[in-house]
Amino acid sequence: MRQSRIAAGACSLLLAAACAFAGPATAQVAPRTAATGYVALGDSYSSGVGAGDYLTSGKECKRSSRAYPVLWAEAHAPASFSFAACNGAGVDEVLTEQLGHLSPRTGLVTLTVGGSDTGFVGVLATCALGGTGGCRSALSRARTTMDGSLAANLDRLYTAIRNRAPAARVVVLGYPHLYHLQGACRLGLGDSERADLNDAVDHLNAVIARRAAAHGFTFADVTAAFAGHEICSARPWLRSVDVLAITESYHPTAPGQSLGYLPVLSRVS
């Protein structure tokens, strides 16, 4: 009896020691919640301004059921979908009004942002009314903003996105060229101003791409997808100036969203 008790005690001690040495390696790990939700952030190019068929729930932001985030969500059925993009949003608005939709469960984040921060609406107005000299001065100021405050603000935004959605794949989409050169337009800006505006879009995309790469995000360039479908082309996917719907001017149409933005996002997501 005594020997069996000693043996039993020794076995208990050995078992306890084994458990102590095994420690966390043999402990059960609680399963993590899969990061499969999709959150669409950004400005009017992501909310779908210009595409029509605006959702009543996003009327003030002009969120369209034809915008590329909605189309992607319909095609891929993510576990959850939050459509936070809003017309006119700049970096500060995305930071303060849209990031609440992010969480550790977010698996994909998409956004377009930067155009509003560089004052492109004012630049376009100056180019339309101020002649070549005024246009180039406005574009020069916009480039200075892109290289300075915009780059710094994008760093703040991208850091905040990663902190709130640590497991997410983040896809930052760029902007298309606005004009098809030597195209069908006979009125309005000359080709030199149109080329200068396209160059400014390239500069903006380059700044966004560099900051996105610095944070480990994917930059998706849409200029090739829109090539041949800019304003003044035979089949434009961008709205020209419309004085009766000025907000929709220079924005992608429904085909611009479905045939321009959506395929680019689908290739990288």
Side-chain angles (χ1 to χ4, degrees):
M1 177 68 72
R2 179 176 176 80
Q3 287 180 342
S4 63
R5 286 181 179 174
I6 292 172
C11 288
S12 297
L13 288 172
L14 288 171
L15 182 60
C19 290
F21 280 111
T26 59
Q28 292 291 325
V29 178
R32 294 181 180 178
T33 302
T36 56
Y38 170 33
V39 178
L41 307 173
D43 58 18
S44 54
Y45 274 65
S46 289
S47 72
V49 172
D53 199 12
Y54 300 113
L55 303 169
T56 55
S57 60
K59 202 168 186 180
E60 292 162 355
C61 285
K62 300 202 84 168
R63 297 186 186 114
S64 171
S65 64
R66 299 174 181 175
Y68 75 83
V70 177
L71 300 178
W72 191 93
E74 289 174 349
H76 294 82
S80 62
F81 172 50
S82 296
F83 193 12
C86 190
N87 178 41
V91 170
D92 285 342
E93 287 75 22
V94 175
L95 272 167
T96 59
E97 300 172 16
Q98 298 183 19
L99 296 196
H101 293 267
L102 301 177
S103 77
R105 298 184 180 184
T106 304
L108 174 66
V109 177
T110 63
L111 73 156
T112 53
V113 71
S116 295
D117 297 86
T118 56
F120 243 92
V121 172
V123 169
L124 290 166
T126 299
C127 289
L129 301 173
T132 301
C135 182
R136 288 181 175 165
S137 295
L139 288 169
S140 178
R141 291 191 296 271
R143 286 191 181 90
T144 299
T145 300
M146 294 172 197
D147 294 331
S149 61
L150 175 62
N153 288 335
L154 288 174
D155 281 332
R156 288 193 301 122
L157 174 60
Y158 295 164
T159 297
I161 290 173
R162 178 52 70 215
N163 289 340
R164 285 177 174 264
R169 177 176 179 80
V170 182
V171 180
V172 182
L173 295 102
Y175 297 93
H177 286 161
L178 297 175
Y179 283 102
H180 183 74
L181 303 183
Q182 298 181 343
C185 296
R186 294 291 175 261
L187 299 175
L189 300 175
D191 264 0
S192 61
E193 288 88 355
R194 291 169 183 161
D196 289 341
L197 284 166
N198 287 348
D199 288 345
V201 170
D202 286 337
H203 193 94
L204 175 59
N205 284 336
V207 170
I208 294 171
R210 284 195 297 270
R211 301 327 312 148
H215 291 262
F217 297 168
T218 298
F219 176 76
D221 191 343
V222 299
T223 53
F226 277 81
H229 298 284
E230 306 91 341
I231 298 169
C232 298
S233 66
R235 294 186 302 278
W237 292 348
L238 289 160
R239 293 192 180 275
S240 188
V241 178
D242 186 345
V243 295
L244 299 178
I246 199 66
T247 302
E248 306 208 351
S249 302
Y250 296 105
H251 283 90
T253 61
Q257 293 284 337
S258 64
L259 302 176
Y261 271 96
L262 180 61
V264 172
L265 173 58
S266 296
R267 282 196 295 270
V268 300
S269 60

